[in-house]
C-alpha cells in the first residue's frame, strides 16, 4: 500500500528514521511513499535518487536535501503560501 505524504508532512515522516541514515537505506525504508505536490505527485525514491548526499546526518539534513531537488512547480506558485486564500 502506498503512503501519500504532503511536503509539509515530510518532517514527521523523516523524524521516525534513525540517523545517520544512508540514502540507499532511506530508499528502501520509504519505497512505499508518494510525495504529493501542488501539481501532482512523485515517488520519494525518485526524489532521493536526485540528492547529492550519500548519508543524511539528521532529519533536517534529509529534508533539506529532498527540498533542494523537489521541482519548483511541485510547491505551488512562487510567493504563495498554504495559509493564503
Amino acid at each position: 500500500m502506498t503512503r501519500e505524504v504532503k511536503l509539509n508532512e515530510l518532517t514527521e515522516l523523516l523524524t521516525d528514521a534513525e540517523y545517520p541514515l544512508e540514502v540507499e537505506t532511506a530508499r528502501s525504508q520509504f519505497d512505499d511513499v508518494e510525495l504529493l505536490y501542488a501539481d501532482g505527485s512523485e515517488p520519494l525514491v525518485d526524489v532521493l535518487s536526485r540528492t547529492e548526499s550519500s548519508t543524511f546526518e539528521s532529519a533536517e539534513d534529509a529534508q533539506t536535501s529532498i527540498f533542494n531537488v523537489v521541482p519548483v512547480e511541485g510547491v505551488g506558485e512562487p510567493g504563495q503560501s498554504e495559509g493564503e486564500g
Side-chain angles (χ1 to χ4, degrees):
M1 176 184 262
T2 301
R3 294 184 285 171
E4 295 182 338
V5 176
K6 295 179 183 178
L7 284 177
N8 63 353
E9 298 169 346
L10 186 59
T11 304
E12 184 178 334
L13 176 76
L14 295 172
T15 302
D16 292 338
E18 291 188 29
Y19 294 90
L21 177 66
E22 299 281 331
V23 172
E24 286 307 312
T25 303
R27 288 174 52 97
S28 296
Q29 186 172 349
F30 302 125
D31 68 344
D32 63 335
V33 174
E34 186 82 10
L35 280 182
L36 300 179
Y37 297 149
D39 67 344
S41 65
E42 178 179 23
L44 180 54
V45 294
D46 291 353
V47 178
L48 289 169
S49 70
R50 295 194 302 266
T51 64
E52 294 181 10
S53 301
S54 60
T55 303
F56 301 129
E57 297 301 323
S58 65
E60 294 80 18
D61 181 32
Q63 180 174 311
T64 299
S65 295
I66 291 167
F67 282 177
N68 283 338
V69 297
V70 166
V72 122
E73 300 82 25
V75 294
E77 296 297 320
Q80 181 183 27
S81 75
E82 283 190 32
E84 292 181 10

